[in-house]
Amino acid sequence: MSEWVAIAEVLKNEDELVSHINNIDQLSEKELELKSFYKQQINFLKNEYKEKKITKNELLKKLAETKEVYQIYHKKMQDFLNLNYSLAIWEYQQSNVLKKDLDYLKLKKDYLKKMQAIKNHDDQKLVTKKLKKDYQILKKTLPAKYIIIIAIISTIGLLLAGLLVNYLYYFKIANNGQGFSFKNQNHITAFVFVCIGILLIFSFLIFVVRNIIKRIFLDKDENLFKTASIGFAGAFTDTIGVGSFSITVATLNATNTVKNVKKLPGTLNLGLTIPNLFAGTLFVSAIQVELVTLITLVIAAMFGAFFGAKLVSKVDKKFVALFVAIALAIAGVLMILGQTGIFNNIGTKGLTGWRLAVGIISFFVIGGLQSFGVGLYAPALAIISLLGMETIVAFPIMTCASGFAMPTTAWAFHRDNNYSPKVSIGLLIGGIFGSIAAFFIVFVGIQGGIGIKMDNFTYYLKWFAILVMYYAAFTLLKKYLNLKKATENQTLKVVENYYQIYETDFLKMFEQKLQSISQLEILDQEIFEQKIFENNINLLLWR
């Protein structure tokens, strides 16, 4: 096979892969819209019964008929997703095979020669962009199996190293010279939380290997080293108590890494779960907070994150961009107040009565905010201090609440295809190294070895983080305004009560609406099935 024929084969294969990826994205969106419309009509039918406009038997009959029609279209959507998913993975694998035949030294030489030749071209920017895009397509990508190996070895190796250094050296520093003892209730509590953290880390790693890795092709062109570097920076600042989400959001926006802003919260939550669990697991050894307070606040944050993840998929891109921008700005105010010393209380180590109830509700809310891509640390510190607790107890509560809450959102984001898989993996791998680097350099080295207090080290870094937070809020606000401008001429969608409008024709019109939403007639299922059959491709399930 000649070089030009090989290049043509790769480009053709990549075009078909992109086509299947676009189908998956569009079908995922339509599937959510289909489900949302079905639930809305179900609620309308139930309201008709509550208002005594239909009998219970009529309601049950309508619900059964509506569900039957919905399931037909839901299954059709699933079939199309399965076909496109199977073909996309096959095309992705084929591209990697075809790229082995390319002479990359010659390819780069030709690329540089062409770039040199268009220096004085009339449409230099346009041609340059096309050349860069074609060259990027032809470049080799790291196979998924190698990314899996890197993620597994990094997680296990660095976690083991961190725990050994923690219990053999840092534990005494964190506990005022006192070594670990099974007779100490605080030490036992901390050890139990460490075990929970380790279990969650390995459970989530299995989830990543079994599910997320398989979808890397969806954003295959993203640079793994770049996203890992972003994850490293975010996790490093997170581990020393500054927070990771604002740094990561700002950098992802600056590099235009997550192009669909609606996928930003899911990418953050899935990518930074294990790094956050690392921080919670490594630093929970110095627990000085009452057990009931710690457990209830952490569980409240976990439930908030779970419901928040469900809510993210139901709102549009404009809302996500505006909401996160405002929330980041508010979190920035809380961090500024913290920097001025307003939250440095000398109070209790736990909460009781109404204070505990307020704390539970508050942590439920900020757990939900975390699902939208808003960091938990700044609002958690403010809540803990305003409720009269010592600031020193905030760290184990923050790290455990943030780390333990994030895995609860994983499946919801994954199910709705509401994240960028390769970016998430990059954040995960880089984040693990960032967490461990912060632990070894700042806590073990600077605090333990040199004896510099953490407050002095992080004070100026937190001011930098506040600036970054407002930069992230500004960029998201710009995205919101651009999205608003792009859709301001569109007609506002009003949810109609189909039974109230059509009554006897309800089922017929309901089915027509499902057909209109799904638009399955655009895709030819037989062509996909024929391609699967001809190439002997295994049919895989999208979820």
Side-chain angles (χ1 to χ4, degrees), residues 297-409:
L297 296 185
V298 169
I299 291 175
M302 291 171 69
F303 274 102
F306 177 76
F307 287 106
K310 284 180 169 291
L311 190 61
V312 170
S313 64
K314 290 179 171 56
V315 296
D316 62 17
K317 298 175 187 177
K318 297 195 301 297
F319 178 84
V320 173
L322 181 62
F323 181 83
V324 176
I326 293 171
L328 283 173
I330 294 171
V333 172
L334 294 174
M335 283 189 72
I336 291 170
L337 293 175
Q339 288 290 83
T340 61
I342 196 170
F343 297 145
N344 294 331
N345 291 342
I346 301 175
T348 64
K349 295 182 184 294
L351 300 172
T352 56
W354 69 268
R355 293 178 187 272
L356 181 60
V358 171
I360 291 170
I361 295 169
S362 301
F363 268 73
F364 177 86
V365 172
I366 63 175
L369 290 175
Q370 185 167 255
S371 295
F372 278 85
V374 181
L376 183 142
Y377 281 17
L381 177 61
I383 291 164
I384 288 166
S385 300
L386 291 172
L387 289 174
M389 294 177 68
E390 291 182 25
T391 308
I392 194 172
V393 305
F395 204 80
I397 294 175
M398 289 189 307
T399 53
C400 288
S402 178
F404 290 10
M406 292 176 86
T408 63
T409 66

Side-chain angles (χ1 to χ4, degrees), residues 190-418:
F191 184 74
V192 170
F193 270 82
V194 167
C195 292
I196 294 171
I198 293 170
L199 181 64
L200 286 173
I201 287 170
F202 285 115
S203 297
F204 193 80
L205 185 62
I206 292 169
F207 173 77
V208 168
V209 171
R210 293 187 62 184
N211 297 284
I212 299 177
I213 288 286
K214 293 177 183 177
R215 296 190 181 183
I216 277 180
F217 64 87
L218 290 173
D219 57 339
K220 62 183 180 61
D221 293 332
E222 292 299 338
N223 187 290
L224 192 67
F225 179 79
K226 178 183 75 175
T227 53
S229 300
I230 295 170
F232 181 94
F236 189 98
T237 55
D238 187 66
T239 304
I240 60 177
V242 176
S244 61
F245 276 23
S246 58
I247 301 284
T248 311
V249 168
T251 317
L252 290 174
N253 282 335
T255 55
N256 196 30
T257 302
V258 180
K259 295 169 181 63
N260 184 345
V261 70
K262 194 175 178 181
K263 293 189 176 185
L264 184 60
T267 303
L268 290 170
N269 277 268
L270 289 169
L272 296 174
T273 289
I274 289 182
N276 269 265
L277 285 169
F278 259 57
T281 302
L282 290 174
F283 299 110
V284 79
S285 60
I287 282 182
Q288 297 178 33
V289 59
E290 289 179 2
L291 186 59
V292 172
T293 302
L294 177 65
I295 291 174
T296 52
L297 296 185
V298 169
I299 291 175
M302 291 171 69
F303 274 102
F306 177 76
F307 287 106
K310 284 180 169 291
L311 190 61
V312 170
S313 64
K314 290 179 171 56
V315 296
D316 62 17
K317 298 175 187 177
K318 297 195 301 297
F319 178 84
V320 173
L322 181 62
F323 181 83
V324 176
I326 293 171
L328 283 173
I330 294 171
V333 172
L334 294 174
M335 283 189 72
I336 291 170
L337 293 175
Q339 288 290 83
T340 61
I342 196 170
F343 297 145
N344 294 331
N345 291 342
I346 301 175
T348 64
K349 295 182 184 294
L351 300 172
T352 56
W354 69 268
R355 293 178 187 272
L356 181 60
V358 171
I360 291 170
I361 295 169
S362 301
F363 268 73
F364 177 86
V365 172
I366 63 175
L369 290 175
Q370 185 167 255
S371 295
F372 278 85
V374 181
L376 183 142
Y377 281 17
L381 177 61
I383 291 164
I384 288 166
S385 300
L386 291 172
L387 289 174
M389 294 177 68
E390 291 182 25
T391 308
I392 194 172
V393 305
F395 204 80
I397 294 175
M398 289 189 307
T399 53
C400 288
S402 178
F404 290 10
M406 292 176 86
T408 63
T409 66
W411 177 249
F413 285 120
H414 177 73
R415 178 198 60 205
D416 297 335
N417 191 34
N418 211 4

Side-chain angles (χ1 to χ4, degrees), residues 102-201:
L102 298 179
D103 185 344
Y104 281 93
L105 289 175
K106 185 177 182 299
L107 197 67
K108 188 169 184 180
K109 191 176 179 181
D110 290 343
Y111 167 72
L112 293 173
K113 188 178 178 180
K114 288 177 183 177
M115 291 292 284
Q116 187 70 25
I118 62 162
K119 272 193 172 181
N120 298 319
H121 198 281
D122 293 338
D123 297 320
Q124 185 180 345
K125 286 186 178 179
L126 191 65
V127 178
T128 300
K129 189 176 180 181
K130 176 71 169 60
L131 284 174
K132 283 183 177 179
K133 184 181 178 183
D134 287 347
Y135 180 68
Q136 190 67 33
I137 288 171
L138 294 171
K139 283 176 70 175
K140 283 184 180 178
T141 55
L142 191 66
K145 63 181 179 181
Y146 293 133
I147 297 175
I148 291 172
I149 292 169
I150 293 170
I152 292 173
I153 292 175
S154 301
T155 303
I156 296 173
L158 294 177
L159 178 61
L160 181 61
L163 289 172
L164 285 173
V165 173
N166 188 11
Y167 277 99
L168 294 177
Y169 175 72
Y170 180 70
F171 189 91
K172 285 186 178 182
I173 297 171
N175 287 276
N176 300 316
Q178 184 182 10
F180 180 82
S181 172
F182 281 104
K183 295 180 181 179
N184 187 306
Q185 186 179 353
N186 282 339
H187 295 178
I188 295 299
T189 302
F191 184 74
V192 170
F193 270 82
V194 167
C195 292
I196 294 171
I198 293 170
L199 181 64
L200 286 173
I201 287 170

